[in-house]
Amino acid sequence: MKSGNSTLMYRLKTLRPDQVIFPASMWGLFAVIVVILYGMDSAYQAARAFVGIVLPMIAGILSAYAVLEDPALELQFSMPRPAWRMLAERLGLIFAVTAVCALTYQVYLALIGLSLAPLGGAAGRQLAWLAPTLNLMGLGCLAGLAAAKPVPGAMAVGLVWFSQLIAYGWFLHHPVARYVYLYMGITHPELPELRASQLVISLLGMIFLTGAWALVRQQERYL
């Protein structure tokens, strides 16, 4: 227990400011945007975009840096603890920040009278950001570890994020690609394939995280 508390304290002390400042600043930006656009359909469009499109992208980029940006990485690898735990601690903090931003933003929207009800019930609204967040976090971490550098991981997240936004029509109408379209819960929550799509992208996220775990175990690649 003492070891677990010390590693958690270490992670909190070495938490990079951008892991909090970046999501928080985007939270503030989109909070202002929806107020400016209040009363127009654009306000709803901006609100749902932040929760289900922007936040997952931020989480994915930050996850690419989660392991490799630690200046004491060699010391961390020398500690007698499993690789999965190290990965869970680092990605868990990023996920926690993302979840706080998503949930508090929804509370903020409710307070100003802007509803995300078109996305579905309470569970549907959370799945709309949870599934793509899990997927992009896994992708960013896996790609960064595979390249042994965080920048390629961030670029992989950006490429997937941008390509799906640009070619969303193709993803929605392709009989197979629609199931890996990350933002169906945000852009087309009425489609019958939604839950299957969210299941698939969540499973892919778990596969990416499993691959990241396997790479973290090969500690000599990063020393």
Side-chain angles (χ1 to χ4, degrees):
M1 180 66 69
K2 184 177 181 180
S3 175
N5 289 337
S6 63
T7 54
L8 178 59
M9 290 302 298
Y10 171 80
R11 285 302 304 143
L12 292 174
K13 289 179 180 178
T14 58
L15 183 68
R16 293 174 51 192
D18 60 313
Q19 292 182 342
V20 176
I21 294 174
F22 188 20
S25 61
M26 294 302 291
W27 192 106
L29 174 62
F30 276 85
V32 172
I33 288 175
V34 296
V35 170
I36 295 174
L37 299 176
Y38 194 81
M40 297 184 286
D41 183 62
S42 301
Y44 166 72
Q45 303 296 343
R48 70 174 184 172
F50 174 70
V51 172
I53 298 178
V54 175
L55 272 181
M57 179 267 294
I58 294 173
I61 291 175
L62 293 178
S63 296
Y65 293 83
V67 175
L68 300 177
E69 284 294 287
D70 188 345
L73 187 60
E74 184 174 357
L75 177 62
Q76 291 297 302
F77 281 146
S78 68
M79 297 178 65
R81 57 189 178 127
W84 69 262
R85 182 172 175 179
M86 175 185 178
L87 200 62
E89 289 172 352
R90 292 160 187 270
L91 294 180
L93 286 174
I94 294 172
F95 179 80
V97 171
T98 304
V100 168
C101 286
L103 296 175
T104 56
Y105 193 75
Q106 292 177 64
V107 171
Y108 167 74
L109 293 178
L111 290 175
I112 66 173
L114 186 58
S115 175
L116 291 180
L119 300 183
R125 292 194 295 272
Q126 306 321 313
L127 282 173
W129 68 267
L130 271 171
T133 295
L134 177 63
N135 186 281
L136 291 181
M137 285 184 67
L139 174 63
C141 188
L142 175 62
L145 289 170
K149 295 179 180 178
V151 173
M155 291 178 63
V157 170
L159 179 62
V160 170
W161 182 81
F162 186 71
S163 63
Q164 291 215 0
L165 289 180
I166 293 298
Y168 75 94
W170 179 82
F171 279 96
L172 284 172
H173 293 98
H174 193 279
V176 176
R178 68 180 60 176
Y179 292 102
V180 294
Y181 177 53
L182 296 175
Y183 311 117
M184 186 182 292
I186 290 296
T187 61
H188 292 79
E190 74 284 356
L191 292 181
E193 298 89 353
L194 173 61
R195 295 296 176 246
S197 172
Q198 290 175 331
L199 177 61
V200 169
I201 63 178
S202 296
L203 288 175
L204 284 175
M206 295 303 297
I207 292 172
F208 294 153
L209 290 172
T210 302
W213 164 74
L215 288 175
V216 168
R217 297 179 66 189
Q218 303 174 24
Q219 300 177 358
E220 65 280 357
R221 298 181 74 244
Y222 312 110
L223 300 179

